[in-house]
Amino acid sequence: MMNSEPERGTGSMAPVCRCAIYTRKSTEEGLNQPFNTLEAQREAAEAYILSQWHLGWRAVAERYDDGGYTGGNLERPALQQLLTDLEAGKIDCVVIYKVDRLSRSLLDFARLMEVFERHGVSLVSVTQPLNTTSSLGRLTLNILLSFAQFERELIADRTRDKMAAAKRKGKWVGGTPVLGYDVAVGGGKLLVNHEEARRVHAIFALYLELQSVDKLVVELQKRKWVNKRRKRHAGNQGRPFTKAALHRLLGNVVYIGRVRIQGENYAGEQAGIIGQDVWRRAQELLTRERVERPRRGPTRSRLAATAQENPSPERVPRIARLMALALKFEQMKREGVVQNYSVLAALGQVSRSRLTQVMNLLNLAPDIQEQILFLTWETAEQRGIHERSVRQLSSQLSWAEQRARWHVLSSRS
């Protein structure tokens, strides 16, 4: 660790800048090794601080290391200690290896920067041209965070898309299996748990006999039947059935060998437990119960029905975010925030070719751009409106040709 000795060979000492080094690693893997990722981050930060010795930079003795903590939130012990010391006036500068070590969330990062600025503390990234004491550093920070957040959302979208594709093929993609099934060794498939399957059969039979989910709840409570265990511990015997849990069980298409994704049913790889006739009668009864349920004020069930009639906004499709990003970058260039796209690509740490792909979306006719911006995720999925198809569209020089092709693309079912 560096000390706080004055500069040698000079008659005066440069003003001391107390630098705190913050490191983070998402997983605990490898933390017990003598030289791990946290140490590598610290070593790079210490070397950078040493290079600024002539400016009075000194590393503080306190260590702020968060091993095994995600950057998606601020609930990290070392970060909280850093903020406490920062607010106590013990720190002048925070040095990090990379921006996402401090936070992966734009909102959280903005909150942190607000705290930093309020206490006159600067932020420096060792591997990125970032120093928030300058206007260029602040611009760089905003661009880096925009790209980091955008790429993180793309990864999440790709993960969801892969899971949806696997479900369409009938595969099991993880989570706790429902009553009546276990996950096969190695995962990826559900196997019938015959003991639990008999209980599922009995529940469906009781429902058809009692003709009421409310009566079924009471009967199962009398019998002390419980749902599937959520953990493999001897003390966990499963939770008692609730009305909501029974509605989910009775309406789960898994029991007839199907899987449901985005409101559509597909053939599953698992064997069915309930016969088609029993299933059909149970669904008819569930539907009848919902229709005949007395309307006595805004009950939870009626609120749920209202929510279905007025669903919350869907997640924005990737192509719509790309379109918005292209328009934002064009605005930055037009207003002189950046001189050209090469500078923007360098600041954003993406290849010039990738940035060109995004900016080429501006070649689309204005009305097509507007339709893409307001495109819903479900519509984009159903009609195959993705980056590749839209990029092919933007390569057409004639707006009339673009509109003709867009009409075909956006009208597909």
Side-chain angles (χ1 to χ4, degrees):
M1 181 66 65
M2 292 177 283
N3 56 39
S4 301
E5 295 179 0
E7 294 185 85
R8 301 174 187 268
T10 63
S12 62
M13 185 194 309
V16 174
C17 176
R18 299 162 297 174
C19 302
I21 299 173
Y22 177 77
T23 66
R24 183 185 65 80
K25 185 177 185 293
S26 296
T27 64
E28 297 181 355
E29 182 180 356
L31 292 179
N32 58 347
Q33 298 176 359
F35 188 79
N36 54 50
T37 301
L38 297 182
E39 291 298 330
Q41 294 177 41
R42 171 168 291 278
E43 184 179 88
E46 287 180 339
Y48 187 88
I49 293 173
L50 184 60
S51 71
Q52 305 299 310
W53 180 271
H54 62 287
L55 297 177
W57 288 33
R58 305 292 184 269
V60 300
E62 184 72 28
R63 295 178 68 100
Y64 304 96
D65 304 321
D66 276 323
Y69 289 90
T70 177
N73 58 61
L74 303 180
E75 300 303 319
R76 291 168 263 158
L79 177 60
Q80 293 302 315
Q81 184 60 50
L82 174 70
L83 294 176
T84 299
D85 293 347
L86 182 150
E87 293 173 349
K90 299 178 180 180
I91 298 170
D92 301 309
C93 177
V94 175
V95 181
I96 54 179
Y97 181 75
K98 196 175 181 182
V99 170
D100 64 5
R101 297 302 87 194
L102 191 62
S103 177
R104 289 185 176 274
S105 164
L106 278 174
L107 180 59
D108 287 343
F109 205 102
R111 291 170 178 168
L112 288 172
M113 292 311 302
E114 182 181 348
V115 174
F116 281 26
E117 291 179 7
R118 187 165 64 247
H119 293 85
V121 175
S122 58
L123 175 68
V124 174
S125 172
V126 173
T127 60
Q128 295 159 321
L130 174 62
N131 187 327
T132 58
T133 59
S134 68
S135 58
L136 179 60
R138 287 190 289 272
L139 169 63
T140 304
L141 174 64
N142 289 333
I143 295 174
L144 286 171
L145 285 174
S146 295
F147 272 107
Q149 180 86 353
F150 181 65
E151 289 302 321
R152 188 182 182 204
E153 291 175 354
L154 292 186
I155 292 172
D157 276 353
R158 285 194 291 268
T159 301
R160 282 190 290 265
D161 291 344
K162 288 179 180 178
M163 292 178 67
K167 280 188 174 182
R168 291 189 186 99
K169 295 179 180 178
K171 297 185 179 296
W172 174 254
V173 295
T176 303
V178 295
L179 184 71
Y181 291 96
D182 293 323
V183 180
V185 177
K189 187 176 181 180
L190 291 178
L191 299 177
V192 176
N193 180 317
H194 294 286
E195 180 180 350
E196 292 181 357
R198 286 191 290 272
R199 182 64 56 86
V200 173
H201 273 289
I203 291 174
F204 271 83
L206 279 171
Y207 178 54
L208 294 178
E209 176 186 338
L210 298 172
Q211 299 282 294
S212 166
V213 173
D214 290 324
K215 293 179 180 179
L216 180 60
V217 172
V218 174
E219 180 61 29
L220 296 185
Q221 289 176 348
K222 288 180 180 178
R223 301 188 182 197
K224 297 183 178 180
W225 287 8
V226 295
N227 212 332
K228 191 176 185 70
R229 297 179 183 178
R230 296 297 172 185
K231 296 181 180 179
R232 295 182 179 275
H233 296 299
N236 189 333
Q237 298 300 318
R239 296 178 180 179
F241 284 103
T242 62
K243 187 175 181 179
L246 285 173
H247 270 288
R248 288 193 297 269
L249 185 150
L250 294 167
N252 199 328
V253 297
V254 167
Y255 292 122
I256 54 172
R258 309 282 289 179
V259 293
R260 179 174 293 156
I261 174 68
Q262 297 169 6
E264 297 291 333
N265 293 338
Y266 300 88
E269 290 187 342
Q270 81 280 4
I273 291 177
I274 300 300
Q276 291 290 338
D277 181 61
V278 172
W279 170 262
R280 179 184 54 77
R281 291 163 55 200
Q283 303 318 299
E284 290 174 352
L285 181 54
L286 284 170
T287 301
R288 188 164 68 248
E289 278 203 274
R290 282 192 291 266
V291 172
E292 295 176 353
R293 185 177 296 120
R295 297 187 176 184
R296 299 176 181 175
T299 61
R300 293 182 64 183
S301 58
R302 289 185 62 193
L303 289 174
T306 303
Q308 290 181 354
E309 294 173 0
N310 302 282
S312 58
E314 299 175 359
R315 54 193 179 99
V316 179
R318 175 183 179 183
I319 186 60
R321 293 203 307 273
L322 281 172
M323 189 76 253
L325 197 63
L327 290 168
K328 178 63 176 178
F329 288 165
E330 176 64 17
Q331 180 186 7
M332 292 173 66
K333 181 176 177 294
R334 187 171 59 250
E335 295 176 351
V337 178
V338 293
Q339 294 180 350
N340 52 57
Y341 294 143
S342 295
V343 174
L344 187 61
L347 291 175
Q349 292 192 339
V350 296
S351 67
R352 183 67 175 83
S353 60
R354 177 54 180 157
L355 185 62
T356 299
Q357 289 177 345
V358 175
M359 301 310 297
N360 280 346
L361 295 176
L362 299 179
N363 294 335
L364 292 167
D367 52 314
I368 298 178
Q369 293 183 28
E370 183 176 356
Q371 290 180 60
I372 291 175
L373 285 173
F374 291 97
L375 191 67
T376 66
W377 183 88
E378 192 171 68
T379 299
E381 284 296 299
Q382 290 176 347
R383 299 176 181 174
I385 305 177
H386 304 304
E387 181 183 357
R388 178 175 296 179
S389 59
V390 175
R391 274 168 50 191
Q392 293 173 349
L393 192 68
S394 65
S395 65
Q396 297 296 319
L397 298 180
S398 168
W399 282 1
E401 179 65 21
Q402 287 181 8
R403 291 186 176 107
R405 296 194 178 191
W406 172 256
H407 177 74
V408 173
L409 180 62
S410 59
S411 300
R412 290 193 305 196
S413 58

